[in-house]
Amino acid sequence: MATSAFAHGVAADDKLFIEQASGMQLIPFIYLGAKHMVTGYDHLLFLFGVIFFLYRMREIGTYVTLFAIGHSVTLLYGVLSGTHVNPYIVDAIIGLSVVYKALDNLGAFKRVLGFQPNTKAAVLIFGFFHGFGLATKLQEFTLSQEGLVPNILAFNVGVELGQLLALAAILIVMGFWRRSGAFWHQAFAANTVLMAAGFVLMGHQITSYFTI
């Protein structure tokens, strides 16, 4: 139970509804998708890192769209095809995505490796893993085949709506922060904390993989 909670598991009431749901339940599944995204702190940490130094709405829209495409594809594919992946490995890679983005924001790749990875490709690729992370949570339940496709599509719509709500909140906070004189002095520390959080997520999932 502790591991499930740490990995932003599904609440008991939501679990009961998902396993008992039969037929099309579009609105409830939209709600569950949105709730899962806004409480999925690993996804939000990555999203926070992605938009940390983005100022133009067009750029933000491009990166968020790539992330949305990535996790939508693997969420739908993973659940509807019945493709199972180890949740601890996937969640460890999601933690790695947070570490990557923090290092990218700190300019570590240019300084240490001498080159800059393609940031758009990285967001898309890590989006695929985030989608599998979402899929593994749904695969823990016995889902009714009646209405499965529309319900999963509705869940994915909810995930996107939750992402937009979370993004709006993050951008509002970032907007105030960036207007303060302390932003550039605090940016290094913020991304260092972000990187540490990613390592904690990775370490917890890797430990769970070998001990559970």
Side-chain angles (χ1 to χ4, degrees):
M1 289 177 63
T3 302
S4 177
F6 195 90
H8 62 85
V10 180
D13 291 344
D14 296 339
K15 286 182 180 181
L16 185 63
F17 171 80
I18 290 172
E19 294 195 317
Q20 292 182 349
S22 180
M24 284 199 301
Q25 303 278 352
L26 300 184
I27 299 302
F29 271 89
I30 289 174
Y31 166 76
L32 289 172
K35 179 181 178 181
H36 194 74
M37 176 54 82
V38 299
T39 57
Y41 51 83
D42 48 1
H43 305 301
L44 299 182
L45 286 173
F46 181 68
L47 193 62
F48 171 71
V50 168
I51 62 96
F52 194 89
F53 285 124
L54 298 180
Y55 293 86
R56 298 178 182 176
M57 289 306 299
R58 185 173 182 178
E59 286 185 323
I60 293 171
T62 298
Y63 279 90
V64 171
T65 299
L66 287 170
F67 183 53
I69 291 172
H71 67 62
S72 294
V73 168
T74 46
L75 166 61
L76 296 172
Y77 173 75
V79 176
L80 298 178
S81 70
T83 300
H84 290 270
V85 293
N86 187 287
Y88 297 114
I89 293 176
V90 171
D91 283 341
I93 294 173
I94 291 174
L96 176 63
S97 73
V98 177
V99 174
Y100 153 78
K101 198 56 213 171
L103 289 172
D104 186 45
N105 289 342
L106 293 169
F109 297 111
K110 283 185 178 180
R111 288 200 301 270
V112 177
L113 302 179
F115 74 96
Q116 174 61 50
N118 188 306
T119 53
K120 292 185 176 65
V123 168
L124 177 63
I125 291 169
F126 279 124
F128 291 140
F129 287 102
H130 280 256
F132 270 127
L134 291 166
T136 60
K137 303 304 178 288
L138 291 177
Q139 289 171 341
E140 294 174 359
F141 314 118
T142 302
L143 301 173
S144 172
Q145 293 301 308
E146 185 179 349
L148 176 62
V149 173
N151 286 342
I152 295 305
L153 289 172
F155 184 87
N156 188 64
V157 169
V159 167
E160 301 309 324
L161 291 176
Q163 178 172 279
L164 290 175
L165 289 172
L167 178 64
I170 292 171
L171 288 174
I172 290 171
V173 173
M174 291 293 292
F176 284 107
W177 187 19
R178 286 167 177 168
R179 284 196 290 271
S180 73
F183 174 72
W184 288 104
H185 297 289
Q186 296 171 349
F188 179 86
N191 279 282
T192 301
V193 171
L194 185 66
M195 179 174 60
F199 277 123
V200 169
L201 290 172
M202 286 178 59
H204 178 83
Q205 298 301 332
I206 292 171
T207 302
S208 298
Y209 174 76
F210 287 106
T211 59
I212 295 179

